[in-house]
Amino acid sequence: MSSITPDPEPQPLRIAILLNSYRSRLLPALRASYERTIGAVAPHAKLSFYEPANKVGDFPDPACFDLIVFGGSNTDPRKSHGWILAVHEFIRRLVTHFPEKKILGICWGHQTISRVFGGKLAEAARPEMGVSDVNLTEAGRKFFPEAAVLGSFRLQQHHRREVAVAPAAFTALAHGNQCLLSENNTILTFQGHPEKDGETACLRMHDSTRWFGFDASLDEKAWTKLRELIFMEHDGPAVWKRILEWVQEPPVPGTGIVDRLSRI
């Protein structure tokens, strides 16, 4: 009687995460938030963290990872600081030499990837903080089938800048360029924060003073309302589940996305 060889165990996803906040005391909390939110849907995923804003040349080896995440930052993505330009160059090398590598952009990463591919950034008409609806386009309904009936999902938001004009090589999955997908299916970006839960988001509530002109001592009612927004139920786990499914999807060949890179 012949023996049956069992199928090999699937390898855990290897994810490199670039934390782009400059000299921020919140970096440990941001790291922990990624660990919690990804761990909730992929407990065996292997996460590695990098800090290019604080450590010169601190970038992952793309060959060692299934997904490379460009996270948020406390720096204006329109600036051209040395470390920001180094991130731009890393993105260019990544898409040129590893054309099938999956890339995820979140908030600052979403804006920076758009900038590198020729998109235009601008100040938002009004800053966003707390959980809000991300309204899907028709392409977005197809990409996020679980959200297709409602036509939207909810994510934490924390930004005062936005992608005003999306790069030509990308399709908008959500209105207002809130979510973009490259035409070759290798780059997915979100303005919102699937990696943030209320515990992490509330650490930046102090930004309300600069952004909205109030804090707890000036307007208790507004502060309470903001806190309620931050701790609203959101769809971060479902979005991460779809992201990690997408990582396994094949790229679309022959799109020439490298030719769309912008030389800033």
Side-chain angles (χ1 to χ4, degrees):
M1 182 176 179
S2 61
S3 61
I4 299 175
T5 303
D7 292 334
E9 289 289 325
Q11 294 298 307
L13 282 174
R14 302 162 301 168
I15 304 174
I17 299 170
L18 278 65
L19 301 175
N20 300 300
S21 291
Y22 181 68
R23 296 183 178 179
S24 173
R25 63 179 177 81
L26 299 180
L27 282 167
L30 294 172
R31 175 173 177 154
S33 192
Y34 275 103
E35 292 170 339
R36 283 195 305 275
T37 56
I38 296 176
V41 297
H44 301 297
K46 304 296 185 183
L47 310 187
S48 299
F49 294 88
Y50 299 84
E51 295 182 27
N54 302 306
K55 303 173 185 177
V56 175
D58 193 27
F59 294 104
D61 178 354
C64 297
F65 296 96
D66 304 297
L67 173 66
I68 298 178
V69 181
F70 293 82
S73 179
N74 53 5
T75 305
D76 189 334
R78 298 168 297 182
K79 300 291 186 182
S80 295
H81 303 316
W83 72 267
I84 292 178
L85 296 181
V87 172
H88 292 182
E89 188 55 34
F90 177 68
I91 294 171
R92 293 190 184 97
R93 293 199 313 270
L94 184 55
V95 300
T96 301
H97 299 295
F98 297 86
E100 296 189 357
K101 190 65 60 180
K102 291 300 179 81
I103 299 169
L104 176 68
I106 296 174
C107 195
W108 185 91
H110 161 78
Q111 297 166 5
T112 294
I113 290 169
S114 289
R115 182 184 176 193
V116 169
F117 279 92
K120 303 299 181 185
L121 311 182
E123 293 290 323
R126 178 174 172 79
E128 281 195 281
M129 191 184 303
V131 175
S132 68
D133 290 334
V134 178
N135 296 307
L136 299 173
T137 62
E138 190 58 37
R141 287 171 181 261
K142 294 176 181 176
F143 187 86
F144 297 100
E146 291 188 5
V149 174
L150 285 178
S152 65
F153 54 76
R154 288 179 170 179
L155 282 183
Q156 292 280 358
Q157 303 285 346
H158 192 104
H159 64 98
R160 52 180 173 154
R161 303 174 189 95
E162 62 187 9
V163 177
V165 179
F170 289 73
T171 297
L173 300 185
H175 295 286
N177 297 321
Q178 284 268 332
C179 181
L180 302 173
L181 178 67
S182 65
E183 59 190 13
N184 68 343
N185 198 41
T186 62
I187 307 174
L188 178 64
T189 69
F190 294 84
Q191 181 58 72
H193 290 269
E195 88 289 3
K196 279 190 177 181
D197 50 21
E199 178 182 341
T200 307
C202 72
L203 297 176
R204 292 294 302 272
M205 284 182 68
H206 61 272
D207 286 338
S208 64
T209 305
R210 292 182 293 123
W211 291 12
F212 307 120
F214 69 81
D215 61 22
S217 63
L218 295 174
D219 193 333
E220 184 178 349
K221 184 176 180 180
W223 185 262
T224 300
K225 183 177 179 181
L226 177 59
R227 187 173 178 84
E228 289 172 352
L229 280 175
I230 285 174
F231 282 96
M232 278 179 62
E233 186 176 353
H234 60 83
D235 297 306
V239 170
W240 270 120
K241 181 175 180 291
R242 180 66 185 99
I243 290 169
L244 299 183
E245 291 172 351
W246 164 78
V247 171
Q248 308 291 351
E249 294 177 5
V252 176
T255 55
I257 193 171
V258 175
D259 298 333
R260 307 292 182 89
L261 287 167
S262 173
R263 289 292 169 183
I264 300 169

